Amino acid sequence: MQVQSMHFKARASEALADATLQANLHKFGSAGLAALRARAVVEYGAAEFEQLRDAAASIRDRGLDNLPALLERFEREATRRGATVLYARTGTEIRDLVLEIAARHGLKKAVKSKSMLSEEAALNDALQGAGVEPIETDLGEYIIQLAEEPPSHIIAPAVHKSKDEVSDLFVKFHATERKTDIPALTREAREVLRSHFLSADLGISGANFLIAETGTGAIVTNEGNGRMVTTLPRVHVSITGIEKVIPTLEDFATLMRVLTRSATGQPISNYVSVFTGPKGAGDADGPEHMYFILVDNGRTGLLGGEMQEMLRCIRCGACMNHCPVYKTVGGHSYGWVYPGPMGSVLTPSYVGLEKALDLPHAATLCNQCGVVCPVKIPLPDLLRTLREKQVDRGLRPPIERLALRAWAWAAQRPTVYALGTKFAARFLRMLGGGDRMVSHLPFAGGWTDGREFPSGPGRTFRELYAARKKR
Amino acid sequence: MRVGLFVTCLVDLVRPSVGFAALELLEAAGCDVTVPATQTCCGQPGYNSGDREAAKALARKVIAEFEGFDYVVAPSGSCSGTIKTHYPHLFDDDRGMRERAERLAAKTYELTDFLASVAKLARVPGRFDGTVTYHDSCAGLREMGVKAQPRALLAKVPGLAVKEMATPEQCCGFGGTFSVKFGEVSAAIADRKCDDVEASGADALVLGDVGCMLNIEGRLRRRGNRKTKVLHVAEVLAGRDGRSE
């Protein structure tokens, strides 16, 4: 997928001006997944859930600390059970491997369950180009495939669309009578997708986790499409990041408790599909051939460094569900595969700091994301680290650097600082006028374009306090 | 109890009345308060802008100015949070400084937390006739654990009743330099906070951080709301209206 993250500001501005999108985002923000998570945590027990977060974080850390050994174990076990394990370093290599598999088995139609890695690799375009028809089968992914848009949320990809917009798309592409209620729309999608499931010869899925001790992949869905994708077509390809490998099935059970509650507030998703090797001799169903493509695409660059904690991420989406910025501008503003706080850390880390300069700064550092993250990733700290890297590499605008240097220089010199603030306080007071509200701040128009700036009384605390002491 | 009052740079520049209110409250609680004259800023703007060296230089300055007191108190969750939760990490590679930062962190408090939990202020000087709604500023809430303390203190103010807004813990969109770099997004987030404040029907919005105050009040006034007062919790507790310096 093309990286558009340099245009965050412009895209955010467009998002703010789009009344339909704002209404959809507002609905998501006020009655969305954050509220469901909160209820689930109360039901589970807030203190117990905290313990679960600790346990989940430590499982992920153990996995990452032993990554090479775990991957070898996974490969050995998966291979022993008849699957083929392949590795891709980049998005291009993912595409090449999938197309090679399609060519080898003569595959013509791919049904897909949600895979963010397929977005990283822009796989659908490549499949189409090679004459393999890709059909997204997660309802949200299906909707945005019709709309030719990228996902705007990692677990609710079409959350930016209203019911009416979906109705319009279905009329256009299904050539059916317009439906307005959600069950009828869902039924229509199911009917269309059913024929694709039955006629596809390739199933492409991601994997929420890879379990090393059994060579198993696992996916979590609510629509059952994942199970169809991984069992019906004669070839199944599961594409996932190398960091998703965990030691045991027991660990998988622990992580599941925290994943679905954090994502949608469900104690467990409607479907949990685990796949271990292709169809065996006595099996009723399953693919004839099964491949795992384990992807690096920037991940090893984070291993062993100050950003490693980000690799704990289990893709629940809680950080974006709770993010004031995401809830205001939506996922497309972030300009690559992953939006919200996790995206603002992952995008510059995977595609390059200089290609996503705004993202680490597009956060208030409110830490709402950090306190809900099921694996306790300190997202604000990581964003701050990325800001430091930008400064170290000289990537910040010269005027910003100059202003910061001047401020830091003065703030270390109390006499200079006192003089500067004395004038600044008077200047602000003068601009503020009778109601003490500044409507246009020179050098900080970003503030006063949408707000007044309360000017204060024109004397600093320092001055007033000194005067009072003299009295 | 010898308390060093860290006034904060925003209070110094645009809201001196908060500094005086904090001073009065600490004195009412029986503290021996000093306001070190050389103080400037905790360094957070540098820290959050990726300028670690600037942040370290200012942290060294604050540590030297305040380490002699029994307690350090700031009328801000954000600035006290910087000292308490971030200073020690600035010196991960300097054991001596790290220990000094940790000692300072251990005795640093947000004002309402200090008044309620340490000084155990029994009676507050202020009076407020009307209803207030309290916004939980992010750093105070999530770094300093400030939630019950300001409400417990406000409950002691004669004439005052608290009307909670729907989502008091939702960020107002300030975010320091974020509010200028991404002014449009910041103002849009503030707009939702304003909706929430107005829906509460309270006469005044009360909160504990001047950054968030400037942001929310600035947006309220731009929207044409001249009615809802915006006050720092220290001002309310001390009986100041925000303009009395």
Side-chain angles (χ1 to χ4, degrees), chain A residues 9 13 327-328 361 364 366 368 384 387-388 411 417 439 446 448-452 456 459-462, chain B residues 9 12 14 16 37 39-40 47-48 52 138 142 170-171 179 181-184 186 189 192 215 218-219 222:
Chain A
K9 239 182 217 175
S13 193
K327 287 193 288 184
T328 306
H361 293 266
T364 63
C366 72
Q368 184 64 59
R384 205 182 281 110
R387 295 178 185 188
E388 285 173 8
Y417 187 85
S439 296
T448 41
D449 284 347
R451 280 158 297 201
E452 302 291 305
R459 297 281 183 283
T460 62
F461 174 85
R462 192 187 310 273
Chain B
C9 59
D12 180 45
V14 294
Q39 62 177 294
T40 56
Y47 185 52
N48 285 348
R52 202 178 174 86
C138 298
R142 287 182 272 272
Q170 179 70 42
C171 175
S179 61
K181 279 183 191 155
F182 300 93
E184 203 182 352
S186 175
I189 300 172
R192 296 190 175 186
N215 185 41
R219 185 61 201 161
R222 180 62 62 90

Side-chain angles (χ1 to χ4, degrees), chain B residues 15 127-135 154 157-165 194-207 213 216-217 220-221 225-232 235-236 240-241:
Chain B
R15 197 82 174 192
R127 165 168 196 97
F128 186 92
D129 291 304
T131 53
V132 306
T133 193
Y134 193 85
H135 166 69
L154 287 171
V157 177
L160 181 149
V162 175
K163 272 184 168 176
E164 294 285 354
M165 66 183 99
C194 293
D195 290 342
D196 206 4
V197 169
E198 288 176 347
S200 77
D203 300 318
L205 167 70
V206 177
L207 64 169
M213 280 178 76
I216 306 173
E217 180 171 16
L220 278 172
R221 303 301 174 241
N225 178 328
R226 311 258 150 222
K227 187 181 74 192
T228 310
K229 290 181 185 157
V230 180
L231 296 166
H232 192 282
E235 293 172 335
V236 177
R240 288 172 160 270
D241 70 358

Side-chain angles (χ1 to χ4, degrees), chain A residues 325-342:
Chain A
V325 177
Y326 176 91
K327 287 193 288 184
T328 306
V329 302
H332 288 160
S333 300
Y334 292 81
W336 194 54
V337 178
Y338 302 104
M342 56 84 84

Side-chain angles (χ1 to χ4, degrees), chain A residues 8 153 307 310 313 317-327 331 334 338-349 359-360 362-370 372-373 377-380 382-383 386:
Chain A
F8 176 84
H153 187 290
M307 307 300 291
M310 192 60 228
C313 180
C319 60
M320 56 201 77
N321 299 340
H322 291 80
C323 176
V325 177
Y326 176 91
K327 287 193 288 184
Y334 292 81
Y338 302 104
M342 56 84 84
S344 292
V345 175
L346 282 180
T347 306
S349 302
L359 295 191
T364 63
L365 304 182
C366 72
N367 197 28
Q368 184 64 59
C369 53
V372 297
C373 175
I377 301 169
L379 288 154
L382 298 181
L383 290 169
L386 288 167

Side-chain angles (χ1 to χ4, degrees), chain A residues 110-430:
Chain A
V111 280
K112 297 178 67 201
S113 87
K114 255 188 78 50
S115 156
M116 296 311 286
L117 267 155
S118 139
E119 300 290 336
E120 284 186 41
L123 185 59
N124 286 2
D125 292 345
L127 286 168
Q128 225 140 22
V132 182
E133 186 193 4
I135 309 285
E136 296 289 350
T137 67
D138 170 274
L139 181 56
E141 289 283 350
Y142 177 68
I143 291 165
I144 59 165
Q145 189 183 20
L146 295 182
E148 294 186 24
E149 287 174 18
S152 71
H153 187 290
I154 60 169
I155 68 157
V159 72
H160 59 288
K161 290 251 177 272
S162 69
K163 187 179 66 177
D164 286 343
E165 290 173 288
V166 175
S167 296
D168 293 345
L169 281 168
F170 281 13
V171 168
K172 184 173 164 195
F173 287 94
H174 297 164
T176 50
E177 201 180 315
R178 187 183 170 87
K179 320 238 176 353
T180 48
D181 74 305
I182 290 172
L185 286 165
T186 311
R187 200 174 313 118
E188 183 171 311
R190 285 171 67 99
E191 279 161 15
V192 172
L193 288 173
R194 187 59 52 125
S195 70
H196 288 308
F197 283 128
L198 294 171
S199 57
D201 40 23
L202 172 60
I204 297 175
S205 74
N208 289 84
F209 300 107
L210 299 170
I211 299 144
E213 70 172 348
T214 52
T216 297
I219 58 172
V220 172
T221 74
N222 275 325
E223 296 159 23
N225 63 311
R227 187 151 307 166
M228 306 281 240
V229 164
T230 56
T231 53
L232 280 177
R234 64 191 169 88
V235 179
H236 172 210
V237 179
S238 169
I239 311 169
T240 196
I242 49 171
E243 85 282 13
K244 292 292 180 63
V245 65
I246 55 172
T248 65
L249 281 165
E250 184 70 37
D251 294 331
F252 173 55
T254 305
L255 288 166
M256 277 300 296
R257 280 186 207 112
V258 84
L259 171 61
T260 57
R261 284 184 176 86
S262 300
T264 54
Q266 292 168 286
I268 192 161
S269 48
N270 294 351
Y271 294 85
V272 178
S273 305
V274 293
F275 33 91
T276 313
K279 183 175 177 174
D283 292 348
D285 50 27
E288 292 162 26
H289 304 279
M290 190 180 167
Y291 297 88
F292 284 101
I293 299 179
L294 309 189
V295 183
D296 182 347
N297 210 25
R299 285 152 177 83
T300 47
L302 275 65
L303 263 185
E306 53 196 340
M307 307 300 291
Q308 179 175 312
E309 285 160 310
M310 192 60 228
L311 293 175
R312 284 185 203 148
C313 180
I314 56 174
R315 305 292 192 267
C316 70
C319 60
M320 56 201 77
N321 299 340
H322 291 80
C323 176
V325 177
Y326 176 91
K327 287 193 288 184
T328 306
V329 302
H332 288 160
S333 300
Y334 292 81
W336 194 54
V337 178
Y338 302 104
M342 56 84 84
S344 292
V345 175
L346 282 180
T347 306
S349 302
Y350 287 178
V351 309
L353 211 51
E354 64 290 341
K355 288 189 184 155
L357 285 179
D358 274 347
L359 295 191
H361 293 266
T364 63
L365 304 182
C366 72
N367 197 28
Q368 184 64 59
C369 53
V371 298
V372 297
C373 175
V375 288
K376 303 185 89 166
I377 301 169
L379 288 154
D381 291 341
L382 298 181
L383 290 169
R384 205 182 281 110
T385 303
L386 288 167
R387 295 178 185 188
E388 285 173 8
K389 285 175 191 269
Q390 289 186 2
V391 170
D392 290 346
R393 284 186 41 196
L395 295 170
R396 295 309 301 165
I399 183 78
E400 179 186 312
R401 291 298 303 135
L402 191 71
L404 263 172
R405 282 213 180 111
W407 162 82
W409 183 86
Q412 290 171 66
R413 289 162 181 81
T415 319
V416 178
Y417 187 85
L419 191 68
T421 49
K422 182 177 169 177
F423 285 112
R426 279 162 180 72
F427 183 56
L428 284 171
R429 179 70 188 81
M430 190 190 80

